[in-house]
């Protein structure tokens, strides 16, 4: 049974997920499985329910119906912070970082949440070298070594994006949800960010929402097309670009380069 | 270490030295009483700032924690005849417990709704204490004769001697706040204030952190309440009223929240103003209002913020 096989190897499994805001059905009966090591891109027009779906998976909105499993655990009713602790990292479409802290303080704080629950409170946070070590490791990974002591508000948009990604990477999550990691990034910064994403997705499963089809084509193993809160199609990138239905409903002229 | 700045250590040091020097400069009971009053209110304001400045919880109901601390200590000493030290512990417990209840009731609300909820809960306690629990609270007349410590054969009814008790607890509070601020817990609370959504997403239990902060804040408020009761040797339901909550908000904002000295400076300003003007005009509170409005417009970071700007120049 193919369905059974894919479920046992999937790290994230969403079954018949629906989200409603009052009378509006934002996500309707969506089932998506994410295999270990797979990068799955979620594309579709604005209002297709992509971000709402990410919010449902990370726990920010509650489900009207459906189940979500992370590995062997059912996380449908688990609060956000426990999903995060269980290995679900996410970045936001709009930069969402600790804006009155330096880069180091941002990353160290993220490292802290996993390091201990109740800690001896008289020791200053700087007396825990493991936190700073992890913060520096991740800073090196996302290219922020030179900016460690700068307040994040002084960074360029692209560097703030790197902090955003760094915060998600600190606990080394098994599953990473990236909501438009290239949003607002300048043209010159797209290529380095692309390389960073390539590096980040190694060894983990990624669910990616992105409007830049060039990027999607280069890093996604598979693509899910969402329209009107429902899954229209799931396939390999090449098949998606050639689908007449996808082109009619979403891509239009965007895909001309690939056709 | 970025959390503890040299300028902060220096200003706190100067402040402590000033209060330590006061009994040597003046033997006047009135002035010592005023200085002790300022330190007592400072403990309250520093406690309040754990909730407001550090965690971002704007509470309008801290009078409840303050007043319950005052009453817990008074009951322990007056009715049960327990020593002062036990009264202080009871006050810290009562302040913390009240805050825990407030935090639990308000666990689902945030922002302005949280502020209004704390105001209403505190008013509820105040009203119940003045009416239904009149036999316990003494009603509007309050309870006179709240004792001071009795130990080592020292006469703590002497203003100078009791001054040192308050001074010691004031220093402990300053140290506690400094340690908390630079601790991992303090950093997590800072994170909650700056970005609760991100805090949750990196794995912090934001609700539990808010509750912890409010409880710690309530403990210090309760301590301050007990000290005030003992200083005035009197406790009344006025300590539970909304005006107390308002005063601590004004003092903290005036001085500058989020800094170790800000709340203390704010308390000092308000108390000196009260002392200087209340004798000449009964409208001194109106003048305080004008000063407060000017401050929020021109000094949004309070007097301590102004000091920081001048320091950097």
């Amino acid at each position: 049974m193919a369905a059974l096989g894919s479920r046992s190897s999937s790290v994230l499994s969403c079954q018949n997920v629906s989200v409603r805001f009052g009378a509006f059905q934002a996500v309707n009966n969506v089932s998506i499985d994410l295999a270990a090591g797979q990068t799955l891109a979620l594309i579709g027009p604005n209002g297709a329910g992509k971000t709402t779906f990410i919010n449902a998976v990370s726990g920010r909105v509650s489900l009207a119906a459906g189940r979500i499993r992370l590995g062997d655990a059912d996380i449908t009713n688990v609060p956000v912070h426990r999903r995060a602790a269980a290995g679900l990292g996410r970045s936001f479409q709009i930069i969402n970082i600790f804006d009155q802290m330096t880069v180091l303080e941002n990353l160290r704080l993220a490292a802290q949440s996993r390091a201990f629950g109740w800690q001896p409170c008289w020791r200053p946070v700087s007396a825990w070298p493991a936190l700073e070590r992890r913060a520096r490791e991740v800073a090196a990974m996302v290219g922020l070594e030179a900016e460690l002591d700068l307040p994040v508000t002084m960074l360029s948009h692209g560097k703030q994006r790197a902090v955003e990604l760094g915060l998600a990477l600190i606990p080394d999550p098994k599953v990473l949800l990236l909501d438009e990691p290239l949003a607002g990034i300048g043209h010159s910064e797209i290529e380095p960010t692309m390389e960073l994403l390539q590096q980040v997705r190694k060894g983990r499963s990624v669910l990616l929402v992105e409007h830049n089809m060039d990027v999607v084509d280069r890093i996604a193993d598979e693509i899910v097309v969402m329209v009107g809160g429902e899954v229209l199609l799931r396939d390999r990138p090449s098949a998606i670009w050639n689908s007449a239905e996808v082109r009619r409903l979403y891509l239009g002229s965007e895909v001309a380069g690939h056709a | 270490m970025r959390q503890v700045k040299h300028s902060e250590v220096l200003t706190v040091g100067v402040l402590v030295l000033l209060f330590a020097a006061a009994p040597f400069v003046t033997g006047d009971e009135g002035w010592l009483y005023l200085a002790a009053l300022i330190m007592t209110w400072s403990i309250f304001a520093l406690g309040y700032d754990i909730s407001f400045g550090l965690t971002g919880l704007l509470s309008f109901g801290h009078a409840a924690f303050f007043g319950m601390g005052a009453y817990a200590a008074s009951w322990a000493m007056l009715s049960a005849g327990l020593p002062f030290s036990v009264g202080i512990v009871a006050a810290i417990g009562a302040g913390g417990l009240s805050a825990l209840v407030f935090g639990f009731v308000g666990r689902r609300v945030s922002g302005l709704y949280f502020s209004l909820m704390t105001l209403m809960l505190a008013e509820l306690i105040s009203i119940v204490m003045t009416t239904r629990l009149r036999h316990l609270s003494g009603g509007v007349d309050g309870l006179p004769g709240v004792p001071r410590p009795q130990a080592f054969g020292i006469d703590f009814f002497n203003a100078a001697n009791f001054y040192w008790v308050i001074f010691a607890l004031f220093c402990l509070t300053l140290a506690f706040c400094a340690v908390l601020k630079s601790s991992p817990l303090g950093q997590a609370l800072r994170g909650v204030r700056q970005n609760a959504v991100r805090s949750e997403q990196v794995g912090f239990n934001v609700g539990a952190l808010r509750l912890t902060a409010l409880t710690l804040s309530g403990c210090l408020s309760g301590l301050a309440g007990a000290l005030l009761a003992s200083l005035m040797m009197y406790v009344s339901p006025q300590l539970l009223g909304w005006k107390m909550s308002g005063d601590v908000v004004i003092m903290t904002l005036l001085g500058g929240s989020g800094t170790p000295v800000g709340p203390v400076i704010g308390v000092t300003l308000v108390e000196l103003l009260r002392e200087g003007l209340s004798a000449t005009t009964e409208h001194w509170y109106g003048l305080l209002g004008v000063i407060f409005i000017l401050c929020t417009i021109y000094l949004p970071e309070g007097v301590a913020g102004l000091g920081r700007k001048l320091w950097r120049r």
Side-chain angles (χ1 to χ4, degrees), chain B residues 125-144:
Chain B
I125 289 181
S126 167
I127 290 167
V128 169
M129 282 287 274
T130 27
T131 54
R132 292 273 158 168
L133 297 177
R134 208 162 36 220
H135 58 289
L136 288 176
S137 70
V140 282
D141 297 330
L143 300 174

Side-chain angles (χ1 to χ4, degrees), chain B:
Chain B
M1 223 159 84
R2 287 191 62 88
Q3 286 80 42
V4 182
K5 298 180 193 85
H6 293 302
S7 58
E8 281 185 4
V9 175
L10 193 73
T11 44
V12 171
V14 169
L15 211 69
V16 168
L17 278 178
L18 279 176
F19 280 108
F24 300 104
V25 176
T26 172
D28 182 68
E29 292 227 343
W31 284 109
L32 282 185
Y33 182 86
L34 181 64
L37 196 65
I38 290 174
M39 286 193 290
T40 303
W41 269 93
S42 294
I43 294 174
F44 188 17
L46 285 165
Y48 182 77
D49 212 32
I50 292 177
S51 158
F52 178 65
L54 191 58
T55 320
L57 293 170
L58 176 61
S59 152
F60 291 145
H62 262 58
F65 317 149
F66 185 73
M68 286 318 285
Y71 267 107
S74 305
W75 289 328
M77 292 189 284
L78 281 174
S79 312
L82 293 164
F84 181 79
S85 52
V86 179
I88 290 292
V89 173
I92 293 173
L97 191 68
S98 325
L100 194 66
V101 171
F102 276 42
F104 184 76
V105 174
R107 68 196 183 283
R108 300 241 179 268
V109 292
S110 57
L112 188 61
Y113 300 99
F114 175 81
S115 308
L116 292 178
M117 187 223 63
T118 54
L119 176 65
M120 284 184 280
L121 279 181
E123 277 302 282
L124 186 72
I125 289 181
S126 167
I127 290 167
V128 169
M129 282 287 274
T130 27
T131 54
R132 292 273 158 168
L133 297 177
R134 208 162 36 220
H135 58 289
L136 288 176
S137 70
V140 282
D141 297 330
L143 300 174
V146 177
R148 289 188 181 175
Q150 291 170 313
F152 317 116
I154 301 170
D155 174 20
F156 284 104
F157 290 95
N158 175 313
N161 288 342
F162 191 56
Y163 183 89
W164 291 112
V165 175
I166 294 183
F167 177 75
L169 289 167
F170 171 64
C171 291
L172 276 178
T173 303
L174 276 173
F176 175 80
C177 291
V179 167
L180 175 68
K181 206 178 161 196
S182 63
S183 74
L185 175 61
Q187 290 299 299
L189 297 178
R190 233 180 122 202
V192 167
R193 189 197 70 214
Q194 288 181 27
N195 195 334
V197 168
R198 181 40 100 180
S199 289
E200 261 187 324
Q201 203 62 60
V202 297
F204 286 113
N205 185 344
V206 169
L209 284 171
R210 282 189 174 141
L211 201 59
T212 308
L214 194 67
T215 304
L216 289 176
S217 178
C219 287
L220 286 183
S221 306
L223 168 65
L227 289 180
L228 188 70
S230 208
L231 182 68
M232 300 192 308
M233 294 184 272
Y234 168 70
V235 60
S236 84
Q238 270 191 351
L239 298 188
L240 294 155
W242 57 268
K243 203 166 158 293
M244 288 282 156
S245 302
D247 276 352
V248 80
V249 176
I250 289 175
M251 287 167 173
T252 308
L253 284 175
L254 202 62
S257 83
T259 58
V261 284
V264 184
I265 292 175
V267 169
T268 310
L269 281 177
V270 174
E271 288 300 334
L272 287 180
L273 214 66
R274 195 203 308 263
E275 183 65 25
L277 293 176
S278 60
T280 46
T281 166
E282 59 193 50
H283 302 301
W284 76 275
Y285 214 74
L287 186 70
L288 176 65
V290 173
I291 294 177
F292 182 63
I293 290 167
L294 289 176
C295 247
T296 48
I297 296 171
Y298 295 107
L299 297 174
E301 287 177 52
V303 178
L306 178 71
R308 258 199 312 279
K309 263 182 217 153
L310 296 176
W311 173 279
R312 284 201 199 110
R313 266 187 204 167

Side-chain angles (χ1 to χ4, degrees), chain A residues 60 81 84 90 96-102 105 108-109 112-113 121-126 128 164 167, chain B residues 1-3 179 182-185 187-188 190-191 193-195 197-205 212:
Chain A
R60 298 225 67 82
H81 68 274
R90 92 165 269 188
N96 204 345
I97 56 186
F98 300 108
D99 53 8
Q100 290 161 45
M101 295 188 187
T102 64
E105 284 172 328
R108 196 171 55 191
L109 186 57
Q112 198 186 306
S113 67
C121 69
W122 54 89
R123 272 176 77 179
V125 73
S126 48
W128 300 85
E164 172 86 38
L167 289 178
Chain B
M1 223 159 84
R2 287 191 62 88
Q3 286 80 42
V179 167
S182 63
S183 74
L185 175 61
Q187 290 299 299
R190 233 180 122 202
R193 189 197 70 214
Q194 288 181 27
N195 195 334
V197 168
R198 181 40 100 180
S199 289
E200 261 187 324
Q201 203 62 60
V202 297
F204 286 113
N205 185 344
T212 308

